[in-house]
Amino acid sequence: MKFSRQTTLRAQASVAGVGVHSGLPVTLTLGPAPVDAGFIFVRTGLDGSDREVQATAEQVIATDFATVLGDHDGPLVSTAEHVLAALRGMGVDNATIEIDGPEVPIMDGSAAAFIAAIDQAGIVTQPAQRRFIQVLKPISAKIGDSFGEIRPHTSGFRVEVEIDFTNPVIGQQSYAFDLNPEAFRREVGRARTFGLMGDVARLWNAGYALGASFDNTVVFDDERLLNTEGLRYADECVRHKVLDVIGDLSLAGLPLLGAYRSVRGGHKLNHAVLTAMLADRTAWRVVEGEAARRTTRPVGEVGRGIVGGRIAAAFGPDVS
């Protein structure tokens, strides 16, 4: 975790693909942004002028199967979490995200294409102190069997995720991860979205997963993995959930100094914990780079994963 200066992108870089839910073609372009701008989506391809939306928790208008950002006129950008995870995970503070369709392209189902675009654009340091949101006390939320909590942590941003599916191929998995760009690139950024074949018809009927395929989704039936190329990690499913958390919690607007834990979670739970924390002004404070450095100690552990086979209550498909 670097605490000194803010960063942005040196130049623009684009990716093109389809939306996993809409199935529509879309081009996304990452570019520079000024100091303290944060992440700004610029929605093009609309009638009239372009529309901007800040990537913050208060702009979230839906979290059913993806994180959707919008304004008073309605939704603007769906499935925002993977590109946001790439920016936050790679240590970018300020960026514009120009997009000419309603949904961020799913690419291969992970953040790898966005990491490559960030590498192509390059990261440059800006003349301002990096600012953080430091968590001061535990805040939790519960939705059904799902539980999430964010708590103080002295070593940057830590994510601890547990998933528990009745599907015996996925089963129970857990992963703990301390965020830094090198570890994000290696351990989390390539983890793909996943789903269950039995849920496909229901999702299609609800208007979701219209662009899903074996090229962008890890798919399981009740007995096996259906993708012929196999998994990128033995615990790829839970690592993708960590990726989603990093993207969803980037909507705090600043990097977090804290630890987040979720059990059987998803976008809705992540958003619930984040908004509960932000609503309690005694639960956090903004600190600048040097002050943040003095409150932390070096990270001792990058990440660890555990895969188990215990069968327990499912919490629904992951298609994000």
Side-chain angles (χ1 to χ4, degrees), residues 121-176:
I123 299 175
V124 293
T125 301
Q126 296 178 291
Q129 290 269 328
R130 176 171 280 161
R131 298 184 301 147
F132 298 81
I133 289 177
Q134 182 182 20
V135 180
L136 301 177
K137 70 179 186 182
I139 296 290
S140 64
K142 187 174 183 181
I143 302 175
D145 291 333
S146 302
F147 173 80
E149 179 186 52
I150 193 163
R151 65 184 190 273
H153 183 61
T154 59
S155 299
F157 182 48
R158 181 176 177 85
V159 182
E160 302 163 356
V161 173
E162 300 174 30
I163 62 173
D164 208 347
F165 278 83
T166 55
N167 180 285
V169 188
I170 302 174
Q172 184 184 52
Q173 302 178 18
S174 64
Y175 195 76

Side-chain angles (χ1 to χ4, degrees), residues 57-58 133 139 251-253 273-281 283-284:
E58 61 187 12
I133 289 177
I139 296 290
L251 296 170
V273 175
L274 180 59
T275 53
M277 184 200 76
L278 293 175
D280 185 345
R281 285 300 283 112
W284 56 277

Side-chain angles (χ1 to χ4, degrees), residues 4 23 29 55 83 90 98 111 135 139 203 210 226 242 259 266 278-279 292 301 309 311:
S4 54
T29 301
V83 67
M90 295 302 293
E98 186 176 299
V135 180
I139 296 290
L203 291 170
L210 302 180
L226 300 181
V242 171
L278 293 175
E301 179 182 34
I311 301 173

